[in-house]
Amino acid sequence: MSQSAPQKPADDSAPRVMVVDDHATARQSVADVLQFAGYEVVACASAVEALNRLAEETVDVIITDLQMPGMTGLEFIGEIGRRRIAAQVLMITAHASVATAVEAMRLGAFDYLEKPFDATQLEQSVAQALDRGKLLSRGEAAGPAMIGNSPAMQQLREQIA
Protein backbone atom coordinates (compact mmCIF):
# COMPACT_ATOMS: atom_id res chain seq x y z
CA MET A 1 0.00 0.00 0.00
CA SER A 2 1.52 3.31 -1.00
CA GLN A 3 1.39 6.23 1.37
CA SER A 4 0.87 9.73 0.04
CA ALA A 5 3.41 12.39 0.92
CA PRO A 6 2.60 14.19 4.15
CA GLN A 7 1.11 17.64 3.90
CA LYS A 8 3.62 20.12 5.27
CA PRO A 9 2.47 23.17 7.22
CA ALA A 10 2.21 26.23 4.97
CA ASP A 11 4.35 28.65 7.00
CA ASP A 12 7.97 28.42 8.08
CA SER A 13 7.27 27.76 11.74
CA ALA A 14 5.88 24.30 12.30
CA PRO A 15 2.72 24.12 14.40
CA ARG A 16 3.29 22.60 17.84
CA VAL A 17 1.36 19.51 18.87
CA MET A 18 1.38 18.02 22.37
CA VAL A 19 0.81 14.27 22.69
CA VAL A 20 -0.34 13.10 26.14
CA ASP A 21 -0.49 9.34 26.69
CA ASP A 22 0.73 7.20 29.57
CA HIS A 23 1.66 4.33 27.22
CA ALA A 24 5.13 5.08 25.84
CA THR A 25 4.66 3.05 22.64
CA ALA A 26 1.37 4.75 21.74
CA ARG A 27 2.76 8.18 22.61
CA GLN A 28 5.86 7.63 20.44
CA SER A 29 3.83 6.24 17.56
CA VAL A 30 1.59 9.33 17.42
CA ALA A 31 4.62 11.61 17.83
CA ASP A 32 6.45 9.87 14.97
CA VAL A 33 3.48 10.26 12.59
CA LEU A 34 3.17 13.96 13.39
CA GLN A 35 6.90 14.67 13.18
CA PHE A 36 6.98 12.97 9.78
CA ALA A 37 4.09 15.23 8.75
CA GLY A 38 6.16 18.29 9.66
CA TYR A 39 4.84 19.21 13.09
CA GLU A 40 6.90 20.06 16.15
CA VAL A 41 5.87 17.53 18.80
CA VAL A 42 5.97 17.77 22.59
CA ALA A 43 5.33 14.42 24.31
CA CYS A 44 4.07 14.00 27.88
CA ALA A 45 3.42 10.83 29.89
CA SER A 46 0.61 12.29 32.01
CA ALA A 47 -1.94 15.07 32.15
CA VAL A 48 -0.17 16.57 35.17
CA GLU A 49 3.13 16.72 33.25
CA ALA A 50 1.29 18.29 30.30
CA LEU A 51 -0.36 20.96 32.48
CA ASN A 52 3.02 21.84 34.01
CA ARG A 53 4.51 22.28 30.53
CA LEU A 54 1.48 24.23 29.29
CA ALA A 55 2.02 26.72 32.12
CA GLU A 56 5.34 27.65 30.50
CA GLU A 57 4.91 26.98 26.79
CA THR A 58 2.20 27.08 24.16
CA VAL A 59 1.00 24.49 21.69
CA ASP A 60 -1.53 24.65 18.87
CA VAL A 61 -3.09 21.19 19.30
CA ILE A 62 -3.24 18.78 22.23
CA ILE A 63 -3.84 15.07 21.63
CA THR A 64 -4.80 13.21 24.78
CA ASP A 65 -5.63 9.63 25.63
CA LEU A 66 -8.84 9.00 27.57
CA GLN A 67 -7.69 6.52 30.22
CA MET A 68 -4.62 7.64 32.12
CA PRO A 69 -3.69 7.24 35.79
CA GLY A 70 -3.95 10.28 38.03
CA MET A 71 -6.07 12.47 35.75
CA THR A 72 -8.23 11.07 32.96
CA GLY A 73 -8.37 12.61 29.51
CA LEU A 74 -11.83 14.03 30.29
CA GLU A 75 -10.56 15.65 33.49
CA PHE A 76 -7.58 16.98 31.53
CA ILE A 77 -9.82 18.56 28.87
CA GLY A 78 -11.90 20.16 31.63
CA GLU A 79 -8.75 21.60 33.21
CA ILE A 80 -7.57 22.94 29.83
CA GLY A 81 -10.87 24.81 29.58
CA ARG A 82 -10.70 26.13 33.14
CA ARG A 83 -7.18 27.41 32.54
CA ARG A 84 -8.26 28.95 29.21
CA ILE A 85 -5.46 27.27 27.32
CA ALA A 86 -5.86 28.30 23.69
CA ALA A 87 -5.26 24.97 21.97
CA GLN A 88 -7.50 22.63 20.04
CA VAL A 89 -7.90 19.25 21.74
CA LEU A 90 -8.24 15.81 20.16
CA MET A 91 -9.10 12.78 22.26
CA ILE A 92 -7.92 9.31 21.31
CA THR A 93 -9.00 6.13 22.99
CA ALA A 94 -9.22 2.38 22.66
CA HIS A 95 -12.26 2.48 24.96
CA ALA A 96 -14.63 4.52 22.83
CA SER A 97 -18.24 5.03 23.79
CA VAL A 98 -20.92 7.48 22.77
CA ALA A 99 -21.04 8.81 26.33
CA THR A 100 -17.32 9.63 26.49
CA ALA A 101 -17.37 11.12 22.98
CA VAL A 102 -20.27 13.40 23.92
CA GLU A 103 -18.61 14.39 27.20
CA ALA A 104 -15.28 15.11 25.46
CA MET A 105 -17.02 17.36 22.93
CA ARG A 106 -19.05 19.07 25.67
CA LEU A 107 -15.81 19.87 27.49
CA GLY A 108 -14.34 21.40 24.33
CA ALA A 109 -12.62 18.62 22.39
CA PHE A 110 -12.47 19.26 18.65
CA ASP A 111 -12.40 15.60 17.64
CA TYR A 112 -12.56 12.10 19.10
CA LEU A 113 -10.58 9.30 17.43
CA GLU A 114 -11.00 5.64 18.21
CA LYS A 115 -7.88 3.44 18.33
CA PRO A 116 -6.70 1.99 16.10
CA PHE A 117 -6.67 4.87 13.63
CA ASP A 118 -4.45 5.31 10.62
CA ALA A 119 -1.81 7.99 10.11
CA THR A 120 -3.86 9.78 7.44
CA GLN A 121 -6.86 10.05 9.74
CA LEU A 122 -4.67 11.48 12.51
CA GLU A 123 -2.97 13.97 10.18
CA GLN A 124 -6.33 15.13 8.78
CA SER A 125 -7.78 15.63 12.24
CA VAL A 126 -4.76 17.66 13.39
CA ALA A 127 -4.87 19.79 10.22
CA GLN A 128 -8.58 20.47 10.72
CA ALA A 129 -7.98 21.37 14.36
CA LEU A 130 -5.26 23.82 13.32
CA ASP A 131 -7.61 25.38 10.76
CA ARG A 132 -10.33 25.75 13.41
CA GLY A 133 -7.86 27.35 15.82
CA LYS A 134 -6.80 29.87 13.16
CA LEU A 135 -10.42 30.74 12.35
CA LEU A 136 -11.25 31.25 16.01
CA SER A 137 -8.25 33.48 16.61
CA ARG A 138 -9.02 35.55 13.50
CA GLY A 139 -12.66 35.85 14.50
CA GLU A 140 -11.77 37.24 17.89
CA ALA A 141 -9.25 39.67 16.41
CA ALA A 142 -11.50 40.75 13.54
CA GLY A 143 -14.61 41.55 15.62
CA PRO A 144 -16.30 44.92 15.19
CA ALA A 145 -14.92 47.78 17.23
CA MET A 146 -17.11 48.95 20.10
CA ILE A 147 -17.28 52.72 20.29
CA GLY A 148 -18.19 54.61 23.43
CA ASN A 149 -17.06 54.88 27.01
CA SER A 150 -20.34 55.20 28.89
CA PRO A 151 -20.92 53.09 32.01
CA ALA A 152 -23.21 50.82 29.97
CA MET A 153 -20.48 50.24 27.35
CA GLN A 154 -17.90 49.57 30.08
CA GLN A 155 -20.27 47.04 31.67
CA LEU A 156 -20.84 45.40 28.27
CA ARG A 157 -17.07 45.10 27.70
CA GLU A 158 -16.67 43.48 31.12
CA GLN A 159 -19.45 40.99 30.38
CA ILE A 160 -17.88 40.08 27.04
CA ALA A 161 -14.45 39.64 28.64
Side-chain angles (χ1 to χ4, degrees), residues 37-56:
Y39 297 107
E40 181 182 339
V41 178
V42 177
C44 298
S46 71
V48 172
E49 177 188 352
L51 288 169
N52 288 336
R53 296 211 40 193
L54 289 166
E56 298 180 11

Side-chain angles (χ1 to χ4, degrees), residues 55-97:
E56 298 180 11
E57 55 189 284
T58 61
V59 298
D60 301 297
V61 176
I62 300 168
I63 300 172
T64 182
D65 190 22
L66 172 63
Q67 293 190 349
M68 297 182 290
M71 181 184 292
T72 69
L74 290 173
E75 293 168 334
F76 179 46
I77 294 171
E79 191 61 29
I80 289 168
R82 279 189 286 286
R83 294 184 186 199
R84 298 179 188 257
I85 295 170
Q88 297 300 304
V89 181
L90 308 176
M91 175 163 280
I92 57 174
T93 183
H95 308 282
S97 74

Side-chain angles (χ1 to χ4, degrees), residues 19 21-22 25 31 57 61-62 77 91 97 101 117 123 147 154-155:
V19 179
D21 196 320
D22 60 313
T25 305
E57 55 189 284
V61 176
I62 300 168
I77 294 171
M91 175 163 280
S97 74
F117 49 83
E123 289 176 38
I147 301 172
Q154 290 175 0
Q155 184 179 9

